Amino acid sequence: MSQPNPVKRAADKVAEVIQGAGAGPEEGIPGKPAPRSPSVAQPTEPREPLPPKPDQSGPDTMSPTGQATGAAQARMAQSGAYLTDAQGTRLYDTDHSLKAGPRGPVLLQDHHLREKVMHFDHERIPERVVHARGAAAHGVFKSYGTASAVTKAAFLAPGAETPVFVRFSTVLGSRGSADTVRDTRGFATKFYTEEGVFDLVGNNMPVFFIQDAIKFPDIIHAGKPHPDREIPQAQSAHDTFWDFVTLHTEATHHTLWNMSDRGIPRSYRMMEGFGVHTFRLVAADGSTTLVKFHWKPKLGVHSLVWEEAQLAGGVDPDFHRRDLADAIEAGAYPQWELGIQTFPDTPEQTFEGIDLLDATNLVPEELARVQPIGLLTLDRNPSNYFAETEQVAFHVGHLVPGVDITDDPLLAGRLFSYLDTQITRLAGPNFSQIPINRPHAPVNDMLRDGFHQDAVHRGVAPYRPNSLDGGCPFLASPENGAYVETPVRVPEATKVREAPESFSDHFSQPRRFWLSMSEVEREHIIGAYTFELGKCYEQAVKERALQVLANIDTQLCARVAEGLGLPAPEATVPPVDVEPSPALSQVGRSWPTDGRLIGIVTGPDGDLDGVRAVREAVLAADMVPLIIAPRGGKLGAGDDAVAVQRTFVTARSVEFDALLVAGAPAPGDDARGSRVAGANPAGAAGAVDPRVTLLLAESFRHGKAIGAWAGGEALLETAGIPTDAPGVVAGPDGTSALEQLRELMATHRVWERFVTTV
């Protein structure tokens, strides 16, 4: 569980730093660019580089061969008060090329120009083909020890603590795409264990589009922008994607997950993670167990509604990465429990009729419960995006003793592909020596030379057996921690390019997912299919997609067909009778509200004492308060002035989890003319700022809790929000309204507001 009041403690800590720079304590809100506020004038007195902010840290200082150096992380950053070239020579000017006179030609001998431009020309490396857009954080994994009965992995032993680096990502988009597109998300975790690096490289969905890795280029080529126009970016709402997944029906289950609310997470902090494949754990006595890995967020699994995702893509394309970084900076550290579903390791590798080697299948939690085995906490932001988030290299083949693979044909291809990818992206075979990738265990691999070799190897015998280096390195025994593959018996068989018969059922698992959804989630799925297929040009693709939906559920097919203006076909495969899995639904449970953002709408004439009290109460509840006012700066005067974090022009509903309205603030001075849609064109502002009514109306439409006090109820009615509607509360003071609001927020949204017809 989270520690008491981490948000308030972190905000107070940031406030102390800011106060030292001459700012007020209420500015301790995440998002501050630098650890100290700058002066208006350019600084001229030489000084050492500023330290990072309290929430930032680089990778631990390990040598290229995996030994702790003991050096402070700051020693890896830039140092010295003066500008130098790459060789450490101080420079007196970096704004002007060396010329033959002020108006003369630039001289070839300008070595500083050459070095500066050369390095700039090579700053970019090839982005990832998939998962190009990502965000990441450092943290720690603490084992409960509950997995020690099924694995000898040291990082899962009782009480073990392991540093980690976690990268979240979207699959289809380029590095410059938006965060809130409808897409699968990557959830990749690098464990720096004492036995070597273990990478758990998964997604936020437990199933995948394909069963065999040889088809991975096909699904990615189909999902990427059309090659002739390079559009649409970062989305699957186009012909090539739907052409492939409707012809290749093993993709149906993952496609349905993408069309559900899981395809547009509210936050990385509120997103599940899955290892996707079935792995094999090996115990100390040599016994084996098949498992599936699950990451369960402590805050629950929540999503955006479709309109929110569209708004965020325009208002804040960095919505998810900002949310993650701000939460960590505020001390609302994201947490996930790692859990495993366990299955007997039988020769068939099936469980309750489900083929465990088929990556398009999941095992319902009602059949095999997820057993918690450890807690992941992300508590430090990277200090440099490129050095850490962009250069981190994951590989499903980075395994440690106690964790082994299975014969999943999709997993087999990934074991080959990841290494191949890193060689191209990171310019050679020594990518493991980049600081973010360095193991925290001794490395003696006999691998030598190559691009970017940072280790200075000793000895003369990088081979074995040898005597010239005293026989070193020596082979380890299993007792000394050697990795030994599980001796699985391979059956006699003929080499074929075929799939087993058990891989041929493409519709029963999607039907289970559909039947497990609440009514409002089904409405969202119908809307997603209708939108995506409506973006397709070819009629044949739409008709084929409807045929696939008919094989899942007749109601789903009929409603999407209605939206497309097409007849609903009959099923070609009779719908299977399956039991729903309530664990697959995101609706119906309550969750902690830690780290949630509360927007407080007020003005210079509002109840500022009440606003201050609410702000402190929000912080004490481990949430983040953001004051929204007509203009920036501060409200009130003196030490009790209230700092404004958002103005009517910079605030939009997608940023907030709930809103509180303190009184009825007058319109901002800029709420007139053509700058603000809805403003009085004659130049005189009305009684209510149109941006506030938009903020409130969108929040209400998206099912968010809204509260008011000190006359704020009148503002709600002006915005067309009934004060007796579900999820709308009022109180005699701000803290009373906040308490009611917090209870509503535990279910993430006020689901009663959504009209359903399914």
Side-chain angles (χ1 to χ4, degrees):
M1 297 299 290
S2 60
Q3 300 175 356
N5 300 342
V7 177
K8 187 177 189 304
R9 285 202 316 275
D12 290 343
K13 186 174 182 180
V14 175
E16 291 174 9
V17 175
I18 295 172
Q19 280 183 293
E26 290 192 337
E27 294 184 23
I29 294 296
K32 185 176 176 60
R36 298 188 182 182
S37 296
S39 59
V40 176
Q42 178 179 338
T44 57
E45 186 67 26
R47 57 155 301 141
E48 291 289 319
L50 291 174
K53 295 194 297 182
D55 62 290
Q56 293 178 326
S57 173
D60 290 345
T61 53
M62 313 298 293
S63 77
T65 53
Q67 301 181 69
T69 66
Q73 199 281 324
R75 295 287 298 275
M76 305 295 289
Q78 68 271 27
S79 62
Y82 295 96
L83 177 67
T84 73
D85 64 13
Q87 310 308 314
T89 302
R90 292 182 180 180
L91 301 169
Y92 72 93
D93 184 277
T94 191
D95 295 331
H96 307 93
S97 300
L98 190 64
K99 299 184 285 288
R103 296 181 59 80
V106 174
L107 300 180
L108 185 62
Q109 71 182 68
D110 190 347
H111 55 88
H112 176 43
L113 168 67
R114 170 76 174 105
E115 180 187 70
K116 185 175 181 180
V117 175
M118 175 275 295
H119 198 281
F120 172 78
D121 289 344
H122 296 271
E123 280 182 359
R124 295 294 177 265
I125 63 175
E127 67 176 34
R128 291 167 169 87
V129 176
V130 289
H131 299 276
R133 181 170 181 82
H138 297 271
V140 63
F141 176 78
K142 296 183 179 181
S143 170
Y144 297 155
T146 48
S148 56
V150 292
T151 180
K152 60 184 178 182
F155 81 98
L156 293 176
E161 293 191 13
T162 305
V164 299
F165 188 71
V166 180
R167 186 178 188 273
F168 306 101
S169 55
T170 54
V171 173
L172 290 178
S174 68
R175 273 192 62 185
S177 57
D179 279 348
T180 58
V181 295
R182 182 179 294 280
D183 196 1
T184 305
R185 265 72 180 175
F187 192 131
T189 307
K190 185 176 289 291
F191 297 82
Y192 303 96
T193 87
E194 64 185 39
E195 298 178 300
V197 168
F198 171 56
D199 287 344
L200 183 54
V201 195
N203 288 333
N204 72 322
M205 300 179 187
V207 294
F208 202 62
F209 290 107
I210 54 176
Q211 298 163 326
D212 192 307
I214 200 170
K215 292 176 284 194
F216 189 71
D218 299 314
I219 179 58
I220 298 304
H221 288 166
K224 284 285 190 177
H226 291 200
D228 54 348
R229 301 186 180 188
E230 188 66 11
I231 55 174
Q233 176 62 241
Q235 58 179 293
S236 56
H238 54 85
D239 288 81
T240 59
F241 174 80
W242 288 98
D243 182 43
F244 178 81
V245 299
T246 55
L247 289 170
H248 209 68
T249 53
E250 70 190 55
T252 301
H253 195 190
H254 191 172
T255 303
L256 185 59
W257 274 75
N258 258 8
M259 295 304 106
S260 76
D261 290 344
R262 303 284 186 137
I264 42 176
R266 159 63 181 84
S267 164
Y268 291 137
R269 299 178 293 127
M270 303 164 196
M271 188 178 82
E272 275 185 299
F274 302 90
V276 179
H277 308 286
T278 300
F279 291 83
R280 177 178 280 110
L281 296 185
V282 184
D285 62 2
S287 61
T288 59
T289 305
L290 299 182
V291 301
K292 285 184 174 290
F293 290 105
H294 294 247
W295 289 111
K296 297 285 189 181
K298 282 290 194 176
L299 296 180
V301 186
H302 309 300
S303 297
L304 298 169
V305 297
W306 179 230
E307 187 185 32
E308 280 184 300
Q310 292 174 299
L311 288 171
V315 174
D316 186 4
D318 307 305
F319 186 77
H320 284 149
R321 63 171 62 179
R322 189 187 312 280
D323 174 271
L324 177 68
D326 282 357
I328 293 172
E329 183 180 351
Y333 301 138
Q335 292 184 317
W336 292 259
E337 277 193 316
L338 179 62
I340 53 174
Q341 289 179 297
T342 61
F343 320 101
D345 190 357
T346 62
E348 297 77 19
Q349 298 179 85
T350 62
F351 180 77
E352 297 287 340
I354 299 170
D355 194 327
L356 297 176
L357 301 185
D358 182 351
T360 68
N361 284 341
L362 61 81
V363 178
E365 294 182 28
E366 291 76 15
L367 297 180
R369 73 179 183 89
V370 177
Q371 306 168 54
I373 62 173
L375 180 67
L376 166 68
T377 303
L378 298 182
D379 55 11
R380 291 178 292 136
N381 283 312
S383 57
N384 185 277
Y385 182 93
F386 176 81
E388 299 168 79
T389 307
E390 186 65 13
Q391 289 195 122
V392 66
F394 296 97
H395 176 34
V396 289
H398 290 164
L399 302 167
V400 291
V403 184
D404 205 346
I405 60 171
T406 58
D407 295 330
D408 179 338
L410 178 61
L411 177 58
R414 295 180 73 194
L415 289 166
F416 172 84
S417 177
Y418 280 66
L419 281 179
D420 205 43
T421 295
Q422 310 308 344
I423 292 173
T424 297
R425 286 195 64 246
L426 301 173
N430 291 311
F431 60 86
S432 62
Q433 295 184 14
I434 297 171
I436 193 63
N437 295 319
R438 288 178 182 171
H440 290 198
V443 175
N444 195 346
D445 53 19
M446 296 194 301
L447 306 177
R448 294 293 185 268
D449 306 337
F451 286 110
H452 309 300
Q453 176 60 259
D454 292 330
V456 181
H457 293 104
R458 298 177 179 177
V460 297
Y463 53 83
R464 8 177 14 268
N466 77 73
S467 63
L468 296 180
D469 281 347
C472 187
F474 299 89
L475 296 177
S477 66
E479 293 74 23
N480 290 328
Y483 186 91
V484 180
E485 291 78 8
T486 306
V488 177
R489 183 176 297 277
V490 179
E492 293 184 10
T494 303
K495 290 189 292 185
V496 294
R497 291 189 184 273
E498 296 178 6
E501 180 60 31
S502 57
F503 278 34
S504 62
D505 177 7
H506 300 162
F507 299 112
S508 62
Q509 288 241 340
R511 178 163 175 77
R512 187 198 307 274
F513 184 80
W514 168 257
L515 294 177
S516 303
M517 296 295 99
S518 65
E519 289 188 357
V520 67
E521 289 171 306
R522 292 186 189 183
E523 289 280 5
H524 293 166
I525 291 172
I526 291 168
Y529 270 102
T530 305
F531 174 85
E532 296 255 330
L533 293 171
K535 287 283 190 175
C536 293
Y537 180 87
E538 297 294 348
Q539 184 83 351
V541 172
K542 300 177 186 180
E543 293 179 6
R544 197 186 310 132
L546 290 174
Q547 186 62 71
V548 171
L549 296 182
N551 293 341
I552 300 173
D553 185 85
T554 54
Q555 185 184 45
L556 169 61
C557 178
R559 292 291 306 281
V560 175
E562 179 183 35
L564 297 175
L566 296 173
E570 295 293 325
T572 57
V573 177
V576 183
D577 185 18
V578 293
E579 286 293 322
S581 171
L584 297 175
S585 174
Q586 297 180 200
V587 178
R589 285 168 285 179
S590 296
W591 303 97
T593 58
D594 301 37
R596 295 303 186 105
L597 271 64
I598 309 294
I600 305 171
V601 181
T602 188
D605 299 325
D607 176 16
L608 297 186
D609 288 337
V611 169
R612 279 187 286 270
V614 166
R615 185 182 186 280
E616 289 303 312
V618 170
L619 287 169
D622 296 354
M623 299 185 291
V624 178
L626 295 176
I627 309 300
I628 309 167
R631 60 177 180 271
K634 294 186 178 183
L635 302 176
D639 294 339
D640 291 334
V642 177
V644 176
Q645 284 83 40
R646 299 291 184 273
T647 65
F648 292 169
V649 75
T650 61
R652 200 65 188 265
S653 61
V654 292
E655 184 175 9
F656 307 103
D657 295 291
L659 290 177
L660 277 170
V661 182
D669 293 337
D670 57 349
R672 53 173 57 87
S674 59
R675 274 185 289 170
V676 178
N680 188 333
V688 178
D689 195 301
R691 296 163 298 188
V692 174
T693 57
L694 179 65
L695 177 70
L696 292 168
E698 286 178 350
S699 297
F700 182 79
R701 192 162 63 245
H702 300 155
K704 297 179 180 180
I706 300 173
W709 86 92
E713 300 89 338
L715 184 57
L716 300 185
E717 292 178 350
T718 303
I721 299 174
T723 53
D724 59 351
V728 179
V729 299
D733 53 56
T735 52
S736 172
L738 173 64
E739 193 58 37
Q740 298 177 69
L741 209 69
R742 192 179 176 196
E743 291 182 17
L744 292 166
M745 292 170 61
T747 58
H748 182 61
R749 295 189 192 276
V750 183
W751 297 107
E752 299 90 330
R753 286 202 208 128
F754 294 94
V755 178
T756 59
T757 58
V758 293

